[in-house]
């Protein structure tokens, strides 16, 4: 144990600079490719705004961040409750760990949501609407195309992470994020906040060692620490509960209010 590196040991400055350069290049490349695709294929005047959605809901970001943090805390609290591991609060409060986790979370949340829920989901929706006759069957056809797009995107999203163990959980997460986009009228504000907080919170518990497993447990039940709530029956159950909550939530209009259809349904 004395030979193991500290989980809070800072990375070498040269490595940090190199990583920052690579990340910056990747983000700028994604933004440029998204812009070119939107301009050439759909003739958008402002492709990035079209993909991210407007208006931007600051409240949605906060709600998504809170939901993701609570979900991860609930996951590790359940593992503690069942005696699988212990929670070490002081490890979660290390400034370096928090800063690193938040930075990675924001980066992953922004880039993956722009790519998957922004660009790819819109493309799937266009394709499925075209296959259903251009949406000629009215609202039912549009809803069917939208749901097919969400499922197809979930499968692609899960497969892109190259994890058999977390595949089902990642599909459930993708459906949650797509429903979050629908909930806020096409804006990715809630989805980005949710995605970022899930990644950041899990890093604090896992890499920051705020959670330490002390007893063996079946992987099908608790998953693995590397994937957090994206794997195992407990984590998938929490994601499905979040999905049900989002699906039951009304869609907000651009002014932040519920649509008339949702009010009549109530």
């Amino acid at each position: 144990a004395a030979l193991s590196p500290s989980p809070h040991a800072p990375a070498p400055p040269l490595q940090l600079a190199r990583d920052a350069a690579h990340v910056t290049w990747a983000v700028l490349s994604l933004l440029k490719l998204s812009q070119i695709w939107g301009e050439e294929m759909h003739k958008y005047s402002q492709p990035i705004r079209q993909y991210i959605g407007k208006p931007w809901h600051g409240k949605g970001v906060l709600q998504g961040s809170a939901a993701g943090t609570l979900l991860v805390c609930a996951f590790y609290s359940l593992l503690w409750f069942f005696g699988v591991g212990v929670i070490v609060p002081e490890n979660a409060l290390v400034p370096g760990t928090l800063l690193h986790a938040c930075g990675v979370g924001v980066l992953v949340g922004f880039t993956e949501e722009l790519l998957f829920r922004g660009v790819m989901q819109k493309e799937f929706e266009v394709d499925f609407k075209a296959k259903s006759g251009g949406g000629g069957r009215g609202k039912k056809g549009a809803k069917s195309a939208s749901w097919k797009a969400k499922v197809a995107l979930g499968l692609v999203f899960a497969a892109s992470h190259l994890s058999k163990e977390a595949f089902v959980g990642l599909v459930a997460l993708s459906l949650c994020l797509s429903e979050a986009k629908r909930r806020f009228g096409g804006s990715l504000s809630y989805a980005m906040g949710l995605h970022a907080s899930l990644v950041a919170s899990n890093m604090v518990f896992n890499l920051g060692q705020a959670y330490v497993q002390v007893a063996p447990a079946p992987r099908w039940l608790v998953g693995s620490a590397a994937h957090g709530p994206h794997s195992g029956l407990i984590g998938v159950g929490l994601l499905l509960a979040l999905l049900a909550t989002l699906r039951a939530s009304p869609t907000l209009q651009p002014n932040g209010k519920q649509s008339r259809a949702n009010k009549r349904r109530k």
Side-chain angles (χ1 to χ4, degrees):
L3 298 178
S4 301
S6 169
H8 311 305
L14 182 60
Q15 179 183 339
L16 289 176
R18 188 183 299 116
D19 291 345
H22 291 165
V23 168
T24 301
W25 177 84
V27 172
L28 292 177
S29 298
L30 175 60
L31 289 172
K32 188 61 179 178
L33 288 173
S34 300
Q35 180 180 357
I36 294 173
W37 182 267
E39 290 175 344
E40 295 296 326
M41 299 301 295
H42 301 289
K43 308 304 178 184
Y44 293 146
S45 59
Q46 295 179 312
I48 302 302
R49 290 199 65 182
Q50 287 287 339
Y51 289 132
I52 292 179
K54 53 184 180 181
W56 182 258
H57 296 276
K59 184 179 180 181
V61 177
L62 294 177
Q63 289 179 349
S65 300
T69 302
L70 288 174
L71 190 145
V72 174
C73 289
F75 173 73
Y76 285 105
S77 294
L78 285 172
L79 297 188
W80 165 80
F81 177 79
F82 289 118
V84 178
V86 295
I87 296 176
V88 188
E90 55 268 25
N91 285 354
L93 302 177
V94 177
T97 301
L98 289 174
L99 184 61
H100 181 204
C102 289
V104 173
V106 170
L107 176 66
V108 173
F110 175 79
T111 55
E112 289 198 358
E113 289 313 296
L114 174 61
L115 175 61
F116 288 101
R117 253 60 56 185
V119 178
M120 294 186 68
Q121 182 169 330
K122 189 175 288 290
E123 295 302 321
F124 277 127
E125 289 172 348
V126 170
D127 290 343
F128 281 114
K129 284 180 182 178
K131 290 179 181 178
S132 65
R137 291 184 294 178
K139 292 184 178 180
K140 289 185 178 180
K143 287 183 178 180
S144 176
S146 177
W147 181 244
K148 290 177 181 178
K150 292 174 183 177
V151 173
L153 179 66
L155 296 174
V156 173
F157 178 76
S160 69
H161 286 75
L162 304 177
S163 173
K164 293 181 180 179
E165 185 178 31
F167 188 87
V168 175
L170 288 168
V171 171
L173 173 59
S174 180
L175 293 175
C176 288
L177 294 166
S178 292
E179 280 299 314
K181 178 182 178 181
R182 188 274 312 164
R183 166 75 172 87
F184 280 86
S187 171
L188 294 179
S189 50
Y190 185 103
M192 285 184 174
L194 175 62
H195 199 154
S197 62
L198 285 171
V199 172
S201 299
N202 193 55
M203 283 189 68
V204 170
F205 278 100
N206 184 16
L207 298 181
Q209 294 190 351
Y211 169 82
V212 179
Q213 185 168 336
V214 296
R219 296 286 284 270
W220 63 265
L221 178 63
V222 303
S224 67
H227 299 298
H230 305 152
S231 63
L233 186 60
I234 294 176
V236 172
L238 290 171
L239 288 170
L240 292 178
L242 176 60
L243 176 61
T245 301
L246 290 170
R247 282 187 59 79
S249 302
T251 301
L252 295 180
Q253 295 299 297
N255 59 7
K257 298 180 179 180
Q258 296 180 18
S259 65
R260 292 180 181 178
N262 287 317
K263 289 182 177 180
R264 286 197 301 267
R265 186 174 61 183
K266 287 186 174 182

